[in-house]
Amino acid sequence: MAPLKVYGNVFSTATQRVFACLHEKNLDYDFINVDLSTGEHKQPPHLARNPFGQVPAFEDGDLKLFESRAITLHVSYAYQANGTPLIVEDKKMSIQGVWMEVEAHQFEPTTGKLAWEVVFKPMFGMTTDDEEVVESEKKLEVILDVYEARLKESKYLGGECFTLADLHHLPNLQCLFGTPLKKHFEARPHVKAWCEDIMARPAWVKVIQKLSV
Amino acid sequence: MAPLKVYGNVFSTATQRVFACLHEKNLDYDFINVDLSTGEHKQPPHLARNPFGQVPAFEDGDLKLFESRAITLHVSYAYQANGTPLIVEDKKMSIQGVWMEVEAHQFEPTTGKLAWEVVFKPMFGMTTDDEEVVESEKKLEVILDVYEARLKESKYLGGECFTLADLHHLPNLQCLFGTPLKKHFEARPHVKAWCEDIMARPAWVKVIQKLSV
């Protein structure tokens, strides 16, 4: 079997999302670095893999995919018997699906914006827009109040097991936990416990180790 | 069997997405209007259905869901034998999944912003931000170039059949086709043919009829 291939960048949260999934599944993969600093992602070879010129892209034999959440869903279904089951069945999957959508449409836009302002802009020598941060922090608090209520009812967002609905949050969570914004997560006991739990998963710890090499 | 229930608003594009799916599946449902003008969606009864205070919410017996794309995915799997098959299998589903993510993360943010500026703001007596429109139009052109290339290869975004990957686009498409922004879709022959095809589907025509009552 041709090995799985991830084309991406270790600092890209979307690439990290795919790594997290592959490690939970104990799957070997080849990692091909795409040099974002030279604009390699906007050149024809990478555009053939992802027409939007973004990372990651993914290959499983002759199947070529992009969009991190489509990749993790493919891996979870195609390698269902490997490692951690990241999807559940029937009605439970419908509930997991709700929380996967919540991550994509509520959590990601807000935390992605905050990560950009507070982590990446300073990294690139750009100036943080403080008004934008205050605005997004308010939205984050509303989202985390909903998460706190949900995590009082069930150990994980999708139900009693760790699934993709939790995993998809890891890269942005990790990013914001290195900033003062961590306080919003820590102020909510069930959110705090959930963050500590999922960020300590061995598969995620391995992903983080890639960043410090 | 208790009938399916949609709590929403006929002018909400997310509610329309769920209607489109239910009509493709020939499923009966009760529609319960949520009056957005009085803030009914921010009151406890609706917050119990959708903790983010948005429409739609959905009930299938004792299963309670929200987030329009989670609802359409549930309906497509749970009622696989009814009406149009909106999902495919195995590797083909992974490809469909990529284009569902493209809709959610590329098409929706840009067309949602354009619909807000060009359709909804004037409707609510607010002033369109022309700079925002120009900026979003540029993004839309890049997205539609990718769609044009994709639709040269396959009749629909997910493959040779109409699926959720196409259906999820309908509400924002319909919205923008009533504005001068229509020109961007019409300038690309494969995109134009695809739009005309999916907007003429009988299930979607029924959804549109709800708006004019």
Side-chain angles (χ1 to χ4, degrees):
Chain A
M1 194 179 78
L4 304 172
K5 287 185 184 168
V6 180
Y7 298 84
N9 188 287
V10 293
F11 293 106
S12 134
T13 52
T15 306
Q16 291 166 11
R17 194 173 287 122
V18 172
F19 287 153
C21 177
L22 292 168
H23 283 283
E24 287 287 353
K25 290 299 204 180
N26 295 325
L27 291 165
D28 287 330
Y29 59 94
D30 286 344
F31 170 60
I32 300 97
N33 183 56
V34 177
D35 191 344
L36 305 181
S37 69
T38 61
E40 194 184 340
H41 53 310
K42 301 295 181 192
Q43 297 303 315
H46 190 71
L47 287 170
R49 290 178 212 118
N50 180 337
F52 292 98
Q54 296 172 341
V55 288
F58 183 77
E59 287 176 18
D60 182 352
D62 58 359
L63 184 66
K64 294 169 197 298
L65 304 173
F66 59 96
E67 283 286 346
S68 63
R69 295 168 186 83
I71 298 167
T72 59
L73 208 54
H74 162 74
V75 170
S76 301
Y77 277 108
Y79 300 93
Q80 212 150 353
N82 294 59
T84 312
L86 294 172
I87 45 173
V88 291
E89 288 195 344
D90 303 326
K91 279 190 183 181
K92 284 185 181 169
M93 188 62 197
S94 300
I95 298 285
Q96 179 181 332
V98 168
W99 292 94
M100 288 171 68
E101 291 296 318
V102 167
E103 184 279 325
H105 294 282
Q106 309 280 349
F107 187 82
E108 163 69 34
T110 301
T111 55
K113 197 170 277 177
L114 284 168
W116 172 245
E117 291 294 341
V118 177
V119 179
F120 294 105
K121 270 188 165 182
M123 198 185 282
F124 301 141
M126 296 163 76
T127 309
T128 298
D129 179 337
D130 292 328
E131 266 182 50
E132 186 71 73
V133 173
V134 170
E135 200 60 38
S136 294
E137 274 190 273
K138 279 185 206 153
K139 287 185 190 165
L140 178 62
E141 294 222 64
V142 173
I143 294 165
L144 293 183
D145 283 345
V146 174
Y147 277 40
E148 181 67 9
R150 172 65 183 162
L151 294 165
K152 253 182 213 167
E153 286 171 9
S154 62
K155 190 169 180 198
Y156 295 99
L157 287 177
E160 290 310 311
C161 305
F162 175 83
T163 67
L164 284 186
D166 309 293
L167 182 146
H168 286 174
H169 291 76
L170 280 167
N172 286 12
L173 273 186
Q174 185 74 38
C175 211
L176 296 184
F177 262 68
T179 76
L181 297 168
K182 185 183 176 182
K183 69 181 179 203
H184 298 302
F185 299 88
E186 293 194 325
R188 293 163 175 84
H190 291 84
V191 169
K192 180 173 186 274
W194 171 74
C195 291
E196 286 171 356
D197 177 348
I198 69 174
M199 290 167 75
R201 293 183 68 84
W204 182 247
V205 172
K206 279 185 201 146
V207 176
I208 294 309
Q209 281 164 354
K210 280 182 183 286
L211 293 173
S212 50
V213 179
Chain B
M1 195 179 76
L4 304 172
K5 287 185 185 169
V6 180
Y7 297 83
N9 189 287
V10 293
F11 293 105
S12 134
T13 53
T15 305
Q16 290 167 11
R17 193 172 287 124
V18 171
F19 287 153
C21 176
L22 293 168
H23 284 282
E24 288 287 353
K25 290 300 206 179
N26 295 325
L27 291 165
D28 287 329
Y29 60 93
D30 287 345
F31 170 60
I32 300 98
N33 182 58
V34 177
D35 191 344
L36 305 180
S37 68
T38 61
E40 194 183 339
H41 52 311
K42 302 294 183 191
Q43 297 303 313
H46 190 70
L47 287 169
R49 292 179 212 117
N50 179 336
F52 292 99
Q54 296 171 343
V55 289
F58 183 77
E59 287 177 19
D60 182 353
D62 59 359
L63 184 66
K64 294 170 198 296
L65 303 174
F66 59 97
E67 283 286 344
S68 62
R69 296 168 185 83
I71 298 167
T72 60
L73 207 54
H74 162 75
V75 170
S76 301
Y77 277 108
Y79 300 93
Q80 211 149 353
N82 294 60
T84 312
L86 294 172
I87 45 173
V88 291
E89 287 194 345
D90 303 327
K91 277 189 182 181
K92 286 185 181 171
M93 188 62 197
S94 299
I95 299 285
Q96 178 181 332
V98 167
W99 293 94
M100 289 172 68
E101 291 296 318
V102 167
E103 183 278 326
H105 294 282
Q106 309 279 351
F107 187 81
E108 162 69 35
T110 300
T111 57
K113 198 170 277 177
L114 285 167
W116 172 244
E117 291 294 342
V118 177
V119 180
F120 294 105
K121 271 189 165 181
M123 197 185 283
F124 301 142
M126 296 162 75
T127 310
T128 297
D129 180 336
D130 292 329
E131 267 184 49
E132 185 71 73
V133 173
V134 170
E135 199 60 38
S136 295
E137 273 189 274
K138 280 185 206 153
K139 288 185 190 167
L140 178 62
E141 294 223 64
V142 173
I143 294 166
L144 293 183
D145 283 343
V146 174
Y147 277 41
E148 181 66 10
R150 171 66 184 161
L151 293 166
K152 254 183 215 166
E153 287 171 8
S154 63
K155 190 169 179 199
Y156 295 99
L157 287 176
E160 291 310 310
C161 306
F162 175 82
T163 66
L164 284 186
D166 309 292
L167 181 145
H168 287 174
H169 291 76
L170 280 167
N172 287 13
L173 274 186
Q174 185 73 39
C175 210
L176 296 184
F177 262 67
T179 76
L181 297 169
K182 187 183 174 180
K183 69 181 179 202
H184 298 302
F185 299 88
E186 294 193 325
R188 293 163 175 84
H190 292 83
V191 169
K192 180 172 185 276
W194 171 74
C195 291
E196 286 171 355
D197 177 351
I198 68 173
M199 288 166 77
R201 293 183 67 83
W204 182 246
V205 172
K206 280 187 200 145
V207 176
I208 295 308
Q209 282 165 353
K210 279 181 185 286
L211 293 173
S212 51
V213 178

